[in-house]
Amino acid sequence: MAQDILTTILAFIYTAGHWIGEKIVGLIQSISGVTIPASIVDAIGMLVILTIFLAIAEVAKKAIWIVVAIGWVLIIVRILMLMIG
């Protein structure tokens, strides 16, 4: 069952990457008039998907640092409150 789920997820990612790659190649071809080989459509799509994942991870990383910083501030405030009274 886990293998079926993984296969489905990977098939979805591949399909989305192929579709995105086709759209980008079509856009480039319509703008520049250069014929781009179909063999790199999948590569372009996968690079776009990886770029999106990296952007999401970068945003999540910043959000996590904010949460950690707020946590440390609250801990320090709590300790100071205990020390004061």
Side-chain angles (χ1 to χ4, degrees):
M1 179 163 166
Q3 187 176 9
D4 292 336
I5 293 171
L6 181 62
T7 303
T8 304
I9 291 170
L10 291 176
F12 173 75
I13 291 172
Y14 173 78
T15 304
H18 183 77
W19 183 78
I20 292 169
E22 283 180 336
K23 297 298 178 189
I24 291 175
V25 166
L27 180 67
I28 292 170
Q29 287 178 347
S30 68
I31 291 173
S32 68
V34 174
T35 302
I36 298 175
S39 61
I40 65 168
V41 168
D42 292 336
I44 290 171
M46 289 301 145
L47 281 174
V48 169
I49 288 177
L50 284 173
T51 303
I52 291 169
F53 284 152
L54 285 173
I56 291 170
E58 202 57 39
V59 170
K61 190 168 114 176
K62 288 179 184 177
I64 289 170
W65 276 111
I66 291 170
V67 169
V68 168
I70 290 171
W72 277 110
V73 168
L74 292 174
I75 292 292
I76 291 169
V77 167
R78 176 71 178 164
I79 292 170
L80 289 174
M81 286 174 59
L82 288 172
M83 288 173 61
I84 291 173

